[in-house]
Amino acid sequence: MLLTDTRLSAPGRPGVSAAPEAPAQWHRALTLLADISLFIGTREVWTEAAVRRPAVAAVISVCYASILVCGVLALVVRGRRSLARVDLCVLVTGLTLALCAFVLIHRGTDESVLTAQAARDLVAGHGIYGRPWPWLFGGRGIALTPTVTGGYDYTYGYPPLAPLLTAPLLWLGHGGVPAMAVSTGALLVGTVVLWWLLPTPWRSAATMACLGFSMIPMYGRLGYPAILALALLVPVVVRWPRIGRGGRLGYAGVVQAACLGAACAAQQLPWFLTPFLLAGIYAVRRGELGARGAGLVVLRLAGVAAGVWLLINAYFVVSQPAAWLKGIALPLIQGAVLHGQGLMGVSLYLTDGSDRLDWYGYASLLLLAGMLALFVLFVRRLGPAATVLPWLAFWLATRSQDGYYLMMTPLWVAAAVTAPASEFAGAWQPFPARLAGPRRRPVRVAAAVLLLAPALASAALAATGSPPLRLEVTSARHGVRTLSRLTLRVTNTDADALTPHFTLTRGQGMYPYFSVLRGPDTLPAHATATYELRPPGGTYALPKPGERIRLRVFTSSPQTLSSTYVTLPTA
């Protein structure tokens, strides 16, 4: 008797089971890489657990054993189903390690404490936008966001979904713990969803991208609302070129649209991805349905997303419209000082500053617009990179910290696996006669140069600016290890009057602004004045011998930076 499972009779050998179908070698390697990625950062967690919570350390030790066993099994199991079970074991191990790390390491950050405080004020019936909470940052080692106006941002500057989800969890504890629980929980759920939605051989890529390398779980433990947005974008990005296929959204498309709207209500990063997804969906559907059918699909998708976004924001739109609008736009308009790993480092580290810092922001927006235009023109080629292209713009921005790239990398993996180039083969592209004709290469190069040139020119203007203030230390009151007073002669070489704000820095960090004890608030154009400065708290700890101190001076209108290395005079 023939059976319908693996117990098929081999020719000439009745009753002998056929060998299971062997998995591809690349599947084994991917499983092994995901397994190895879980080692990264685990020792630090175990070390802390061994001191504070031995029971958690024991669980981590079991996870070590699981990683080792899964490494062996990934290379020796004979069937695809068996290797899929190993993938599941690697996922469970990663989830367990992430939970152990959360139990041990949940120190507050500015993101988490602001989100949790917004949730507390929401429960108390207060508005959450435009309300400064400076006491959250006093003496807790929580980073401040300094601005070029000489102050700091103490307000909540994200859409409201994270505080809404944090409010029911306020019983978990003080500080930012409830917000960290939301972001960590969102990451774990998002990881499972991505793992489930990917084709079976690729599932370990989800474990590696979301839980491996200790990158994304760290941001989850820090309470970043962007992790919540990431989790909501996962079902949107998986197979996104198929949204609206046949002219209907269907149940799955409606869910994807709702998740897109919710992601945009969680944090601002999805705002930059959304135009690329909508443009890509329109191009793919227009190649299938024509202009009218594609337009209707995109309108339905955008309508559902906008409806969900508006529903989440409705209470705040009604209760404090002006403060809400300013709050959700805050990261774009707050005027935070230069920070990050992008091109702005030229002005911050390699030169003495620039009188054209605003042009970094212009360059970022122009690059985003240029990349979107290129994406529309060459969607068949650039379509698979839709989840990566938006983040290029941040490399030119004044705030270009690597978190803007790292936190969205699981979406890169989701698109690479489920949105290959074949999905865009029939997509509509404008100007087919010119861009796909016999002389298409020079035309394409010319189009790329034309669209990207404004951004590159703006970036060059910002990076080649000169510092508007000439700085000279004339005297200092200091001991062996501390500085208590600093006197400067400052000359404004610019054509505009400038309001300077002073600080001393070591390395890449930003020390709090010094108080001005003597000197004009605004220095007229081409004028010279003497400023006497006092460190916050009265003293500034001097670095060890060999470390250099840099004086940095920011102004807000226009945004400028002037800096110089400081050699302290003899006390």
Side-chain angles (χ1 to χ4, degrees), residues 327-344:
I328 65 172
L330 191 63
L332 306 176
I333 63 175
Q334 67 187 161
V337 299
L338 301 180
H339 178 66
Q341 293 76 37
L343 186 67
M344 39 62 57

Side-chain angles (χ1 to χ4, degrees), residues 107-151:
R107 303 182 184 95
T109 64
D110 55 341
E111 305 267 349
S112 61
V113 297
L114 284 171
T115 301
Q117 184 61 41
R120 293 185 180 97
D121 275 27
L122 180 64
V123 170
H126 303 144
I128 69 173
Y129 292 108
R131 293 173 59 86
W133 301 306
W135 63 86
L136 295 176
F137 303 87
R140 300 188 183 186
I142 296 173
L144 290 164
T145 300
T147 66
V148 292
T149 60

Side-chain angles (χ1 to χ4, degrees), residues 28-383:
R28 294 185 187 275
L30 182 62
T31 302
L32 191 63
L33 287 172
D35 192 49
I36 292 171
S37 73
L38 299 182
F39 277 127
I40 300 175
T42 301
R43 181 178 179 181
E44 289 79 4
V45 180
W46 179 88
T47 301
E48 187 162 347
V51 176
R52 294 173 49 200
R53 298 197 178 185
V56 176
V59 174
I60 296 173
S61 295
V62 173
C63 289
Y64 269 116
S66 176
I67 294 172
L68 294 171
V69 171
C70 287
V72 174
L73 294 177
L75 298 175
V76 302
V77 295
R78 300 179 60 186
R80 292 184 179 181
R81 289 186 178 180
S82 298
L83 189 55
R85 295 188 186 102
V86 177
D87 289 332
L88 178 60
C89 186
V90 173
L91 171 67
V92 172
T93 303
L95 295 172
T96 304
L97 287 172
L99 285 172
C100 289
F102 172 74
V103 168
L104 287 165
I105 307 171
H106 41 69
R107 303 182 184 95
T109 64
D110 55 341
E111 305 267 349
S112 61
V113 297
L114 284 171
T115 301
Q117 184 61 41
R120 293 185 180 97
D121 275 27
L122 180 64
V123 170
H126 303 144
I128 69 173
Y129 292 108
R131 293 173 59 86
W133 301 306
W135 63 86
L136 295 176
F137 303 87
R140 300 188 183 186
I142 296 173
L144 290 164
T145 300
T147 66
V148 292
T149 60
Y152 307 92
D153 196 345
Y154 300 115
T155 62
Y156 187 73
Y158 298 107
L161 182 58
L164 288 170
L165 296 179
T166 302
L169 301 179
L170 292 177
W171 56 271
L172 287 176
H174 300 290
V177 173
M180 297 179 221
V182 168
S183 57
T184 299
L187 174 62
L188 300 185
V189 173
T191 302
V192 172
V193 170
L194 179 57
W195 190 92
W196 182 258
L197 291 177
L198 290 182
T200 300
W202 291 100
R203 285 175 171 173
S204 278
T207 305
M208 181 164 47
C210 295
L211 302 177
F213 310 120
S214 190
M215 293 190 313
I216 310 297
M218 176 191 69
Y219 285 107
R221 294 194 302 272
L222 294 177
Y224 276 61
I227 298 300
L228 174 60
L230 165 67
L232 290 165
L233 285 173
V234 164
V236 180
V237 167
V238 173
R239 300 180 182 87
W240 70 267
R242 302 184 185 182
I243 295 175
R245 177 175 287 185
R248 296 180 65 254
L249 281 183
Y251 174 76
V254 171
V255 171
Q256 288 175 295
C259 287
L260 179 61
C264 290
Q267 212 259 0
Q268 290 88 349
L269 286 179
W271 298 3
F272 297 88
L273 176 62
T274 298
F276 288 84
L277 295 181
L278 294 180
I281 292 168
Y282 176 81
V284 174
R285 295 286 75 82
R286 181 165 177 174
E288 175 195 5
L289 306 170
R292 185 175 182 275
L296 290 175
V297 167
V298 171
L299 282 176
R300 294 190 194 104
L301 175 66
V304 173
V308 171
W309 180 85
L310 188 59
L311 181 64
I312 294 171
N313 285 273
Y315 170 76
F316 308 95
V317 173
V318 173
S319 61
Q320 44 176 177
W324 163 81
L325 184 60
K326 183 179 179 180
I328 65 172
L330 191 63
L332 306 176
I333 63 175
Q334 67 187 161
V337 299
L338 301 180
H339 178 66
Q341 293 76 37
L343 186 67
M344 39 62 57
V346 172
S347 299
L348 192 59
Y349 304 118
L350 302 182
T351 68
D352 287 335
S354 173
D355 55 351
R356 297 192 287 255
L357 297 184
D358 289 309
W359 287 92
Y360 283 117
Y362 303 152
S364 179
L365 293 175
L366 288 170
L367 182 60
L368 184 68
M371 294 304 303
L372 181 58
L374 282 177
F375 180 79
V376 171
L377 288 176
F378 308 115
V379 67
R380 294 179 185 176
R381 173 62 64 88
L382 297 178

